Amino acid sequence: MNFDSMILPLITFLPAAGGLLMLALPKARTSLLKWTALTISVIPLALTVWLWFAFDRNSSALFQFQVMLPWFEAIHSSLHFGIDGISLVMVLLTTILTPLAILTAFNIKEHVKAFMILFLVLETGMLGVFVSLDLLLFFVFWEIGLVPMYFLINQWGGENRNYASLKFILFTMGGSLGLLLAIQLIGALSGTFDLIGILETWQGLTSGTIFGMPAQVVKTIAFWAFVIAFAVKVPVWPFHTWLPDAHTEAPTAGSMILAGVLLKLGAYGFLRLVLPLFPDESRTFSLWLAVLAVAAIVFGALSATGQKDFKRLVAYSSINHMGFVVLAIAAAANVGGTTDEAMRQSATIAVNGAVLQMFNHGLTAAGMFFLVGVLYDRTHTRLLEKFGGLLALLPVYGSILLFVSMASLGLPGLNGFVSEFMIVRGTWPILTAFTAISIIGLLFTGVYVLKAIKLVLHGPLNEQWAGKVHEISIREILVIIPLILLILSIGIWPTWIVEIINHGVMAWI
Amino acid sequence: MTNLRQIPWLSLLVLLPLVTGVVLLAIPKGKIGLIRWLSLAAALVTFVLSVGLFIGYDETTAGYQFIEKMDWLPALGISYHLGIDGISAALELMAGIVVLAGVLVTWHVSDRAKEYFSFLMFLAASVFGVFASLDLFLLFFFFELAVFPKYLMIVMWGSPKTREYGGMKLTLYLFLGSVLALVGVLAVYFQSGLLTFNLLELEQAGFGVEFQRLWIAFIFIAFGILPGLIPFHRWPPHGHVAAPTAVSMLLAGVEMKVGAFAALRAGLMLLPDGMRFWAPLVIILATINVVYGAFIAMIQKDFKYVIGFSSVSHMGLVFIGFATLTPEGLTGAGLQMFSHGIMTALFFSIVGMVYDRTHTRNLGELGGLYRYMPVAMFGFVIGGLVSMGMPGFSGFIAEMPIYIGAWKTFPVSAIVSAISIVVTAAYILLVVRKVFFGEVPEALKPGVSDITLRDKIVVIALSGLMIAIGLVPSILTPTIQAGVNHILAILGGA
């Protein structure tokens, strides 16, 4: 076992193992607990940075750093890990956001130990999804992350946390039910859960019968089972109703991870499983997917505009932004299997844009939720109308909020613009009308972002806060600075990340 | 090593609790410390023996091991014949764990303690005996041995309101099962033409298809009553709820498996063609068990009834696994029997801990208990995750192969049963929230004492085991697969 083949299991299991060790620490030593958790979460980040540079950009292998260990031999499932460009970017996103979220959570007062341990277990769950090359293992990690997130919302959340947490877990579990059944079906049929093996056998299965039903029908049903599971997670309209509740009620660090990483799991599922496993069905139903994507973009933006609660506004903005990712996926699905070189190229650009958008949204959404949290900690309200004129009172905080909002809005020079432009550039030739409507939807993105900024930062100062709210602290600045740097670096010189993404995308299209 | 293998380990495992039970009755009742420590010592030794047997079972040679045989009533073809295959090795281990846990968490029982622990030991001897029997008569004998301690323990130490009803209901149901089983056993005995109760010989008897189809019904129904197969699902919730904690643990944890195991050993393995004929019906009934049990559990207001009905749901999966007659399904059924045994024992022990301290099981009157008993909360959450089939825990490991088997034979059953996963998640999370989180009701405000160190050890050990199996299924699967391969050989050869 050399280091190369153990790096993925190491990155994946280290947080949970660290969490397990933290069980031994005394409950009362809260600062020790916080610093230990932070230290543990930084190690996977360091390893991922190493991975980033060790990743072979010229390799033609579909997956690198593969490792296969026996796990559940009775049903032929193994610990098969491996990454391509797409998963590497997602792993990086997860390992960056987790330490930042833990640093954010330094202001947690109740049950620090349980919080930190749950957070580290959550990280293992998320990382596992991105590195798994075994369907069953994918599902294991997919579901396992729900448990810590449920308790994070349920125990440290806002007033309506009971409702929100139950809705979150039941929606996601209910959505995953079809996925579980479809994975079982594929496993029972193929005699293995190994993704690479299944890709070969499953795709070729176009005629004949599966368990007494026509293969086409079974595949279509399985396709929708996958799609619904991932659509709930992304979330695609109309499966989104759990999101505003869960994001709003979750503690700040939880919202950061929910919006920053968990939503990406759904989009990642589309890219990793739906498109490769169901190319024909994806093509057949790609327009439906596009309709849902556009609905998410437009309705997400409109709903965000109508919100009175700052955090809910940011939550709805996620639906809006993730809609673009789905639109790009729909475009790629639409041209799947085509020989038209121009179309393929457009699809490649769109998917590149989608993965970059996932990364970018991870940064900005985490940043926005964090900034809302900072404000809430000081004012104990999230109602937009209660703020006003805070820029004068909190110049540093205000400037940072402005900056991150602009990134979210898609200002050229910042990261969001790059990915959204790549997506619309890629989808335009394929899904012209849908893209046109979506771009108009971008207008509303501008409206709600500006509305939030106006109500919070500008206008007459709400005298209630004068002298009561204090400026953003050093710890909080330390959380936001890495995000700002990444936002800038991608906005100005996106190549450093796009080359990795493209390496993954090219292999599939 | 050969010398070690010649020691009659299985006899020790079966007879030790039996002898302890008798000795306990002889101890003056004032010596409560002695009674407890003696019971604990016996439970500890049986636990170690069960671990030893599990580890000592050689999966590579498989088949029946640790065989002991002695003539008992040679004129009738009855012998004292013990031995274990992979599945029974796992079940003996499970029973060993649950018995020890049961003694530990009911350590404080002081009302007629000597009879209590004595009966508990008889119950333990019965279950160890059933799992190890290689003689049909002996199996039946051990099976019946459990009836009287069960009945007495429920009516004497059970919850005051329902113990007469629960005990009566349970006993009558089981009596029906026994009668049918006896009829089936005798039919097999005579039809085989071998005039023997030796299971190994009966397995090879090659009964006619018509005979198998008729008599498997008797045997399957007879033993299916104990695990609560629909339409015999009415007794377990009442029986479990009325019983005192350790008996609930043993009833739901081990006794339900005793029934399932007997249905496997005396039904499926002796009359495989009959099983094949009835498999679709069994699957339908078991699927109803799974879904109906989950829905009924959801609407319960009594903490203990929730768990009682959840057992009905989970045992349905075991029968689905059996009826698929596939390697995956049978392996899953074996895993589920183990996992469910540990899980239910944990659940009922925690229900008992909560009840002892709050004197209520009404979900509406409980709340916020994590403040007082965090470890109990932890255990209940882990048990809940196992129960809802959450990946990373033993329940998932058990359910997956069952579902795979179902897909290969009756895909509809897989789809319908899957509904139960979400329903289970809903009721488990609601119960966790109502009992352990939220506001503490006024009545409990004065405070509730934490669970004892003994309780904590049990809770953490059982939870840890379920997590360990969930993460590393190969702790259990090779042994169970060795047993399954033997069954498959019978199925293939029949």
Side-chain angles (χ1 to χ4, degrees):
Chain A
M1 284 288 167
N2 56 3
F3 184 64
D4 269 17
S5 68
M6 287 318 286
I7 179 88
L8 290 179
L10 202 59
I11 292 179
T12 309
F13 292 118
L14 215 145
L20 209 61
L21 288 180
M22 280 182 66
L23 279 174
L25 294 179
K27 195 150 83 173
R29 303 276 306 274
T30 52
S31 75
L32 176 71
L33 287 162
K34 290 169 186 170
W35 283 104
T36 313
L38 185 64
T39 315
I40 292 169
S41 70
V42 169
I43 304 172
L45 175 60
L47 291 172
T48 309
V49 171
W50 179 86
L51 198 62
W52 188 272
F53 290 104
F55 188 81
D56 183 357
R57 285 139 174 89
N58 303 313
S59 163
S60 61
L62 217 46
F63 293 99
Q64 300 184 22
F65 302 101
Q66 284 196 47
V67 55
M68 200 166 189
L69 302 168
W71 181 55
F72 195 178
E73 283 159 323
I75 54 173
H76 315 292
S77 174
S78 51
L79 275 179
H80 189 182
F81 288 165
I83 49 164
D84 66 352
I86 301 174
S87 25
L88 177 55
V89 170
M90 289 298 113
V91 169
L92 182 68
L93 177 67
T94 312
T95 50
I96 289 175
L97 287 184
T98 307
L100 295 181
I102 287 178
L103 189 58
T104 305
F106 268 34
N107 61 1
I108 293 273
K109 291 187 182 62
E110 287 194 327
H111 311 295
V112 175
K113 181 170 163 180
F115 185 96
M116 295 299 164
I117 292 174
L118 285 173
F119 226 87
L120 291 170
V121 174
L122 177 64
E123 185 179 13
T124 289
M126 297 183 297
L127 289 170
V129 172
F130 294 131
V131 299
S132 293
L133 292 181
D134 181 283
L135 274 182
L136 193 66
L137 201 61
F138 177 93
F139 186 80
V140 167
F141 286 116
W142 173 267
E143 291 276 279
I144 223 166
L146 293 180
V147 181
M149 191 42 98
Y150 169 82
F151 284 105
L152 287 177
I153 302 176
N154 190 271
Q155 291 304 303
W156 291 270
E159 283 162 15
N160 212 359
R161 59 198 184 185
N162 280 335
Y163 171 75
S165 57
L166 195 63
K167 190 170 177 182
F168 161 75
I169 198 164
L170 289 186
F171 259 66
T172 329
M173 279 192 83
S176 311
L177 209 55
L179 177 68
L180 175 64
L181 286 169
I183 287 178
Q184 289 166 354
L185 171 111
I186 295 174
L189 198 67
S190 319
T192 175
F193 287 97
D194 198 68
L195 187 59
I196 296 176
I198 287 169
L199 277 176
E200 287 161 14
T201 54
W202 177 251
Q203 275 184 0
L205 214 72
T206 46
S207 56
T209 57
I210 299 174
F211 300 133
M213 288 173 283
Q216 277 307 327
V217 176
V218 173
K219 284 189 97 172
T220 306
I221 294 172
F223 166 77
W224 280 107
F226 272 75
V227 166
I228 289 175
F230 299 140
V232 168
K233 199 87 160 190
V234 169
V236 178
W237 183 90
F239 304 105
H240 66 279
T241 64
W242 65 269
L243 178 137
D245 291 312
H247 286 214
T248 309
E249 298 303 327
T252 304
S255 307
M256 288 168 73
I257 291 296
L258 258 177
V261 185
L262 284 187
L263 303 190
K264 276 74 203 173
L265 297 181
Y268 179 79
F270 273 106
L271 291 170
R272 174 63 72 240
L273 299 180
V274 175
L275 294 186
L277 284 176
F278 303 96
D280 300 332
E281 290 76 15
S282 302
R283 190 166 55 244
T284 315
F285 298 106
S286 61
L287 291 185
W288 284 99
L289 211 55
V291 169
L292 297 181
V294 172
I297 293 171
V298 175
F299 295 155
L302 286 176
S303 309
T305 314
Q307 295 308 311
K308 293 190 171 67
D309 179 316
F310 197 6
K311 202 169 182 184
R312 256 187 126 75
L313 183 147
V314 178
Y316 274 104
S317 83
S318 290
I319 302 175
N320 169 254
H321 284 121
M322 290 304 289
F324 280 96
V325 176
V326 180
L327 183 68
I329 290 167
N334 192 267
V335 299
T338 184
T339 47
D340 183 340
E341 204 43 51
M343 284 298 181
R344 287 170 69 93
Q345 205 196 342
S346 291
T348 311
I349 296 175
V351 175
N352 265 307
V355 179
L356 186 58
Q357 172 85 346
M358 284 155 71
F359 191 83
N360 285 339
H361 178 257
L363 302 177
T364 48
M368 286 304 287
F369 275 117
F370 168 73
L371 291 169
V372 172
V374 169
L375 204 53
Y376 179 78
D377 286 344
R378 286 157 175 71
T379 61
H380 301 288
T381 180
R382 293 187 307 249
L383 288 178
L384 286 163
E385 60 186 24
K386 297 262 177 156
F387 303 121
L390 291 182
L391 188 56
L393 209 58
L394 311 168
V396 181
Y397 172 82
S399 318
I400 294 172
L401 180 62
L402 262 177
F403 179 89
V404 180
S405 308
M406 287 305 127
S408 164
L409 181 150
L411 191 74
L414 299 179
N415 63 350
F417 176 77
V418 181
S419 52
E420 276 170 17
F421 183 78
M422 282 170 79
I423 290 175
V424 293
R425 156 64 189 87
T427 56
W428 182 272
I430 304 167
L431 302 164
T432 315
F434 293 103
T435 312
I437 301 173
S438 308
I439 296 175
I440 296 171
L442 269 179
L443 177 69
F444 291 100
T445 310
V447 173
Y448 71 72
V449 171
L450 292 175
K451 173 191 161 188
I453 291 176
K454 178 183 145 248
L455 287 173
V456 175
L457 296 180
H458 304 293
L461 175 69
N462 185 338
E463 290 303 330
Q464 186 185 354
W465 307 123
K468 294 239 179 78
V469 287
H470 49 95
E471 189 52 280
I472 188 164
S473 70
I474 301 287
R475 174 181 62 83
E476 289 162 339
I477 288 183
L478 282 176
V479 173
I480 201 75
I481 280 188
L483 294 176
I484 291 180
L485 291 178
L486 283 165
I487 288 172
L488 267 177
S489 73
I490 294 174
I492 295 165
W493 189 64
T495 319
W496 70 268
I497 184 163
V498 172
E499 68 169 5
I500 295 276
I501 298 174
N502 195 41
H503 185 270
V505 174
M506 288 303 282
W508 292 104
I509 291 183
Chain B
M1 278 312 277
T2 45
N3 290 337
L4 263 180
R5 292 220 164 229
Q6 277 156 4
I7 299 174
W9 292 115
L10 284 171
S11 288
L12 281 176
L13 181 67
V14 177
L15 296 179
L16 179 74
L18 204 60
V19 173
T20 311
V22 175
V23 171
L24 280 171
L25 286 179
I27 293 178
K29 67 180 171 189
K31 300 199 166 178
I32 201 157
L34 179 65
I35 291 166
R36 285 172 179 167
W37 282 104
L38 188 61
S39 313
L40 180 62
L44 210 54
V45 174
T46 53
F47 166 71
V48 172
L49 283 173
S50 68
V51 174
L53 285 166
F54 180 79
I55 296 172
Y57 184 85
D58 183 357
E59 300 108 39
T60 46
T61 48
Y64 295 105
Q65 298 178 14
F66 300 102
I67 294 180
E68 296 167 32
K69 194 172 177 197
M70 220 167 45
D71 279 344
W72 190 5
L73 291 169
L76 296 174
I78 298 172
S79 54
Y80 175 81
H81 190 182
L82 300 179
I84 49 172
D85 66 357
I87 294 180
S88 30
L91 290 175
E92 294 283 24
L93 173 63
M94 190 267 287
I97 295 170
V98 174
V99 167
L100 178 59
V103 170
L104 282 173
V105 301
T106 53
W107 184 259
H108 57 272
V109 168
S110 51
D111 171 28
R112 287 165 291 188
K114 134 177 144 170
E115 288 83 0
Y116 177 87
F117 284 108
S118 163
F119 291 166
L120 201 59
M121 286 298 139
F122 289 140
L123 203 50
S126 153
V127 297
F128 287 129
V130 169
F131 293 142
S133 293
L134 289 184
D135 183 282
L136 193 51
F137 184 83
L138 194 64
L139 188 150
F140 186 75
F141 172 81
F142 280 123
F143 189 81
E144 292 303 310
L145 184 64
V147 173
F148 100 93
K150 261 191 295 204
Y151 175 72
L152 289 177
M153 288 186 87
I154 292 177
V155 296
M156 288 169 73
W157 291 274
S159 75
K161 275 185 212 142
T162 57
R163 61 189 179 197
E164 275 87 12
Y165 174 70
M168 199 63 172
K169 185 159 192 164
L170 170 134
T171 311
L172 284 181
Y173 262 96
L174 297 190
F175 198 64
L176 170 68
S178 305
V179 176
L180 289 174
L182 191 58
V183 173
V185 165
L186 286 174
V188 167
Y189 172 73
F190 284 109
Q191 181 71 24
S192 71
L194 304 168
L195 292 183
T196 178
F197 284 99
N198 186 332
L199 281 167
L200 302 186
E201 290 175 32
L202 290 173
E203 275 174 15
Q204 310 298 330
F207 297 102
V209 173
E210 292 299 318
F211 173 83
Q212 295 201 20
R213 284 184 187 169
L214 176 62
W215 291 99
I216 184 116
F218 278 84
I219 294 194
F220 224 78
I221 291 173
F223 293 121
I225 288 176
L226 195 47
L229 188 64
I230 293 245
F232 305 106
H233 63 280
R234 299 282 304 158
W235 77 266
H238 295 293
H240 295 170
V241 169
T245 300
V247 178
S248 306
M249 289 166 72
L250 272 163
L251 266 183
V254 187
E255 279 284 304
M256 287 180 109
K257 278 78 197 176
V258 164
F261 177 80
L264 179 74
R265 184 71 103 217
L268 197 153
M269 287 169 76
L270 292 187
L271 310 166
D273 287 327
M275 185 64 207
R276 220 170 259 138
F277 178 75
W278 290 106
L281 180 68
V282 173
I283 289 245
I284 292 171
L285 293 177
T287 307
I288 298 174
N289 259 52
V290 172
V291 179
Y292 173 82
F295 274 108
I296 297 293
M298 188 154 79
I299 58 166
Q300 297 305 314
K301 297 199 166 56
D302 182 311
F303 196 16
K304 206 167 179 179
Y305 268 98
V306 176
I307 309 302
F309 276 104
S310 86
S311 291
V312 173
S313 174
H314 286 109
M315 287 308 290
L317 282 168
V318 172
F319 278 93
I320 293 180
F322 284 166
T324 64
L325 298 169
T326 56
E328 291 89 354
L330 288 164
T331 309
L335 288 167
Q336 174 78 350
M337 285 198 276
F338 188 95
S339 160
H340 179 256
I342 303 292
M343 177 191 89
T344 329
L346 177 65
F347 270 152
F348 278 121
S349 69
I350 294 175
V351 170
M353 293 168 200
V354 169
Y355 180 76
D356 287 345
R357 287 162 178 79
T358 61
H359 304 291
T360 180
R361 290 191 315 249
N362 189 330
L363 287 173
E365 295 171 10
L366 294 165
L369 291 182
Y370 85 95
R371 291 182 181 82
Y372 306 118
M373 36 177 89
V375 176
M377 181 276 285
F378 170 80
F380 199 85
V381 167
I382 299 293
L385 295 171
V386 173
S387 175
M388 62 174 93
M390 184 57 74
F393 302 90
S394 59
F396 179 77
I397 294 302
E399 285 176 18
M400 275 311 281
I402 295 175
Y403 279 108
I404 300 280
W407 273 107
K408 288 187 169 171
T409 45
F410 303 93
V412 177
S413 151
I415 297 170
V416 175
S417 320
I419 297 170
S420 72
I421 296 177
V422 177
V423 180
T424 308
Y427 72 72
I428 291 289
L429 291 173
L430 284 171
V431 167
V432 168
R433 204 175 79 200
K434 279 184 182 158
V435 174
F436 293 103
F437 297 115
E439 286 304 305
V440 182
E442 281 306 317
L444 302 179
K445 278 276 166 65
V448 178
S449 58
D450 195 1
I451 59 176
T452 63
L453 181 65
R454 263 189 320 275
D455 294 345
K456 286 180 186 168
I457 293 172
V458 169
V459 167
I460 289 172
L462 296 184
S463 312
L465 181 62
M466 292 189 291
I467 296 174
I469 294 169
L471 297 178
V472 190
S474 51
I475 299 173
L476 209 53
T477 39
T479 312
I480 287 178
Q481 275 180 302
V484 168
N485 288 337
H486 175 64
I487 301 174
L488 291 172
I490 293 173
L491 285 171

